[in-house]
Amino acid sequence: MKSHIKLTALTVCLLWLMTLTGCGQETPQQRSFQAMDTLMQLTVYGEERTASAIQNQIATLDERLSATGSGSDIYRLNRDGSAVPDELTAKALRQSLEYCQDTGGALDISVYPLVCEWGFISGDHHIPSQDALKRLLQKTDYRKVLLRGNTVSLPKGVQIDLGATAKGFAADEARAILQKDSCRSAILNLGGTVLAHGSKPDGSKWRVGIADPDNSADYMGYVECADKIVATSGNYERYFTGSDGKRYCHIIDPKTGFPADNGVVSVSVVSDSGVQSDSLSTALFVMGRDKAMDYWQQHRGFDMIILTDDKQAFVTQNLARCFQLKNEQYHTNTIK
Ligand code: AMP
Ligand code: MG
């Protein structure tokens, strides 16, 4: 079985550079470092201490929220079945659970044992047996995660992972630091979740690239925005090709236990909230195009771009005005 994990470092780098064009003469504070299993790039038009505070906060979040780091709150919770995590972890957990509920379980933080079974954590990728899937599906239900006050408990066999929401949560935390320090211009690329804070120093909007699923080192179009968070979930980010020739990606449909496979190749969500963008990009990917559109019709309050495997780009109406297509193989459709 051929295994293939594409980390998005190159894409992140390219899209990040793109956002910097035309920023004027002001020298920014720039940082580039690994955290949350990905590359983080900060460009802050402000003071050094602001960039340092953001980097430190992301490192703290990484330590607390990682499912694999043996010192983390989440690791201890998964190991012991209960924990009293610190306030930051409890907040991230609470917000993630709200989106699990809100998306009818398309986002489900208890999908972690399934993610492990498919080999996405160990790297030993394989298609699980029917028995294993059946057994693990019985343990997959975010409603079994009990958060009372700051105490979290899990029934035996239930384990959680905030991988689908942590980068968005980190973006919200970073924005709070930027606001506290009165910084009005910053662009942070947290492994593909982009915080476009304020506008460019010259007052124009940021350009955030949307990765091209066929060549994730390039972008297929870009969004012009200010004060937004853009998160993307795609089937090209981490996947393996099975002996049946099919692509199995890292985003699991909690109802079937299988990687989502519904014709959607990526979902980008643009909103005012990092947790919302990150949660919804994952959940809408699982839902597929039609259900994602229904969700948007019912909820609004955010924008999205859905790319499908027949080279269609579905863009919500407000975003259509600030979305610029680059790869002309795509055909753009407006969602009203
Ligand atoms: P993202 O890249 O934000 O879409 O998050 C994907 C990551 O979240 C995966 O690598 C898994 O660790 C985890 N995950 C996979 N499927 C789900 C799901 N349906 N709900 C919540 N987390 C998931
Ligand atoms: Mg996500």
Side-chain angles (χ1 to χ4, degrees):
M1 208 171 280
K2 192 178 141 208
S3 102
H4 196 144
I5 297 185
K6 272 192 183 173
L7 292 176
T8 48
L10 191 59
T11 318
V12 165
C13 218
L14 188 129
L15 302 183
W16 182 62
L17 284 174
M18 198 191 126
T19 59
L20 297 182
T21 53
C23 275
Q25 299 306 309
E26 197 177 331
T27 310
Q29 301 293 328
Q30 291 188 307
R31 302 286 167 94
S32 187
F33 57 96
Q34 287 286 328
M36 298 184 172
D37 230 1
T38 187
L39 182 64
M40 305 271 174
Q41 292 162 307
L42 319 179
T43 301
V44 175
Y45 291 85
E47 302 200 14
E48 212 231 315
R49 70 184 164 95
T50 306
S52 297
I54 293 170
Q55 182 168 354
N56 291 340
Q57 185 69 343
I58 291 172
T60 300
L61 285 172
D62 194 11
E63 270 170 36
R64 303 212 177 139
L65 304 183
S66 157
T68 51
S70 59
S72 86
D73 287 343
I74 301 296
Y75 180 91
R76 284 187 292 108
L77 173 64
N78 286 339
R79 187 192 59 195
D80 303 339
S82 80
V84 184
D86 79 359
E87 183 47 43
L88 209 53
T89 309
K91 186 174 161 194
L93 193 51
R94 206 174 292 119
Q95 293 185 359
S96 302
L97 284 169
E98 277 168 20
Y99 280 99
C100 291
Q101 185 169 18
D102 206 52
T103 60
L107 180 80
D108 191 326
I109 57 172
S110 70
V111 85
Y112 187 56
L114 282 163
V115 174
C116 294
E117 183 64 31
W118 281 89
F120 285 111
I121 303 300
S122 64
D124 175 21
H125 301 110
H126 60 276
I127 301 170
S129 68
Q130 283 299 331
D131 278 356
L133 285 179
K134 201 171 154 203
R135 181 173 48 81
L136 295 176
L137 278 170
Q138 283 166 2
K139 301 289 180 190
T140 306
D141 184 350
Y142 68 91
R143 290 168 298 192
K144 293 181 173 158
V145 182
L146 296 181
L147 179 59
R148 292 217 182 88
N150 273 5
T151 304
V152 197
S153 47
L154 305 174
K156 198 169 182 320
V158 176
Q159 293 190 323
I160 62 162
D161 163 33
L162 301 185
T165 58
K167 287 180 282 177
F169 186 76
D172 288 337
E173 288 292 311
R175 183 177 43 199
I177 294 169
L178 291 165
Q179 284 168 341
K180 182 172 72 58
D181 287 0
S182 303
C183 173
R184 290 166 56 196
S185 188
I187 183 100
L188 313 186
N189 193 335
L190 312 183
T193 295
V194 178
L195 166 62
H197 177 72
S199 49
K200 288 183 190 172
D202 67 5
S204 62
K205 289 185 173 178
W206 297 108
R207 287 181 175 183
V208 179
I210 304 297
D212 190 329
D214 290 331
N215 174 16
S216 58
D218 202 354
Y219 59 101
M220 56 72 67
Y222 63 83
V223 171
E224 280 194 324
C225 59
D227 277 321
K228 295 286 177 198
I229 289 143
V230 185
T232 298
S233 294
N235 73 354
Y236 52 84
E237 287 172 332
R238 287 165 192 240
Y239 66 89
F240 69 94
T241 307
S243 48
D244 54 2
K246 273 183 66 173
R247 178 183 290 201
Y248 294 94
C249 79
H250 67 132
I251 301 174
I252 307 289
D253 182 340
K255 294 210 165 55
T256 64
F258 269 77
D261 180 20
N262 50 34
V264 168
V265 291
S266 79
V267 178
S268 299
V269 172
V270 182
S271 97
D272 296 336
S273 151
V275 171
Q276 183 183 44
S277 295
D278 204 359
S279 299
L280 291 186
S281 64
T282 309
L284 300 176
F285 186 95
V286 169
M287 286 183 203
R289 189 197 69 177
D290 292 347
K291 286 195 180 129
M293 285 186 186
D294 288 348
Y295 182 93
W296 180 78
Q297 306 275 4
Q298 283 160 22
H299 292 77
R300 310 261 170 163
F302 68 95
D303 278 296
M304 64 181 181
I305 301 172
I306 301 174
L307 303 183
T308 54
D309 56 9
D310 53 354
K311 297 275 187 296
Q312 301 289 319
F314 296 87
V315 186
T316 49
Q317 55 192 2
N318 284 337
L319 197 61
R321 288 185 218 118
C322 34
F323 172 66
Q324 189 65 46
L325 190 68
K326 178 185 162 236
N327 181 344
E328 293 190 344
Q329 287 181 321
Y330 278 88
H331 177 257
T332 309
N333 309 268
T334 304
I335 310 173
K336 292 186 176 136

